[in-house]
Structure formats: C-alpha cells, structure tokens
Amino acid sequence: MVNYYVVSSRVDFEANSTLAKSINIRSKKYGTHESWKPHHQPLLSSPYSERHAHPTYVLLQNGLGVERDLYHSAKALNHGEPKIISTIIRVGTNLVEKSVVVHNNYLFWISDIDSVRTCVSIAIGMYRHGDHLTAILTDLGAMLETGGSEVTIAAEIQRKKFAKTFWNVTFSSFSTLIRSSPAAIFRPPPKEGQSYSPYVAPQTAPDVVPVLRAILQEMVTLGRALGYPDNDDGLPSSLVDDVHRDPTHTALPSMLLDAQNGLPIEVEVILGEVVRLAKEVGVDVP
C-alpha cells in the first residue's frame, strides 16, 4: 500500500494566520464546507521522521522549481530517495475574502478553442524525469478521477509545467502590474450604447500586444535551450500567435488576487525560476 502525503496548494498558511485557523469553501462542484482546517503533519522532523519511511509526496502547486526544497530536505533524512509527484492544477478558485475560497468554473484553453468546464483538471508526473513509477501515478490518478477530476499522466511533467508558466510569466505579471484582468489588454472600448469595463485604452492599444509577444518569444527561446521541441509535447512556436485570448474573459490571475489581498505573490516560482533557468543555459532574459 502506498502512503501519500499531499502538500496543497499555493496558499501560504504561515503568512496568513486566518487561513491557518480555518477556511470556508464554497464550491459549485463539491458544495459548501464551513471552517475547513488544514492538517499539519511534520513529516520532515522528529518524531515522525525517525519512526517512518518516506511517504510519496504529492505537491499540488503550480510554478517551476517548487519541488526542490522538499526534495533536498527529504533526502537529507537519509531514508532513501524521496518520491515526489509534481502536478499542474487548473481549478477556478479565488480567495474572495481572507478566509473564503470560492470554486467556480475555469477557462481551459485547447489550441485556439476556448472551452469552459466545471471541474478540476490536473496533470501528474514524477518530479525527477527518469523516476518511472507508473503504478504510483496510475493509483493516484484513479483516486483523483473518482473525486471528479480530469487527470493526465505526464511522462515529463517539467515540460508541462514550463508550458503553463509560459502563459503565467506574461499574463499574470502584466495583469498584476496594471491591477486588472487580461480583458483590460484586449477588450476594445465600449461602443455607443454599451457599458462595460475594463477595456484597453485606445492610446496604448497599439503598444501592448507587441510587448506581450516579445515576452512569449523569449520564453520560446528559453524552452528551446532547455531542450523542449517545437511540437505539442514540447513548446510549439505557434503559441506566440495565440496571444489574443477571449477579450471578454474577466477572471483574475492568482498573482493579481494575492496582490489585492495583501498576500505574498508568486514572483519566485513564476518569474524568478525562469530567470535562473535562463542564466543556467545562457539565454538573455528579460
């Protein structure tokens, strides 16, 4: 029997004392759960670490390099090679108040087709490419599917995580800087008789998209240097041409939500790790 220990998700419980006490969850899919409390188990310290072997760690967190500290800390216990399952999560959750999480639909892009789904999509794979533990991934995937998630088992999860970061580097950071959803970048001003916001200012519209394309092209260049091929299993160059997304899409990126709620933002796992990877392979960014 495999023992799994799930580390979830991107919420910093230590930095947010309210969340450390309890969370009120309002989900269209799973219902309302008041005063849910996270479970804290000190697996990397005594007495647990002295009495038990490694579980299989499941890290439910997007971003690059998020597994590194856990891997080295677990390996330092000298209990053998840690088994870490890394993931990509697509779930429409927003922290709308200090202790309230709302789970709605999320917008999942497939090629150039927008498709709204009302579930959780998760890709799972072993943190270290070469740890071919198919049985563990299949077992975990079956549990997640039973709970209603769409599951993909990735042979090389880091490629998939880079492809997701490809968009976050551009749109999450840009939206956070302008303190608005991506609709403020792409949606044209309202016509006579219309009323909506946000929308792109006519005087800045010609300059915004070229900047976004330049950032995306830098990410493609870095992806090639990291060995990711120009195909659907790697990082297609055609993604740069998909810079225009649904102009009516007003969902807020998680980085912007954190900024609005006064929480630490994901600078390191989105932007910092990309800069470090670029330095390692000699690619000049930004």
Side-chain angles (χ1 to χ4, degrees), residues 61-76:
Q61 184 175 0
N62 294 320
L64 298 173
V66 296
E67 314 90 348
R68 188 182 300 112
D69 288 345
L70 173 60
Y71 174 80
H72 289 297
S73 296
K75 191 173 178 63

Side-chain angles (χ1 to χ4, degrees), residues 99-118:
S99 60
V100 178
V101 174
V102 173
H103 176 207
N104 295 311
N105 299 346
Y106 73 92
L107 187 64
F108 182 45
W109 290 304
I110 306 175
S111 184
D112 58 349
I113 302 174
D114 286 339
S115 176
V116 177
R117 300 181 181 177
T118 58

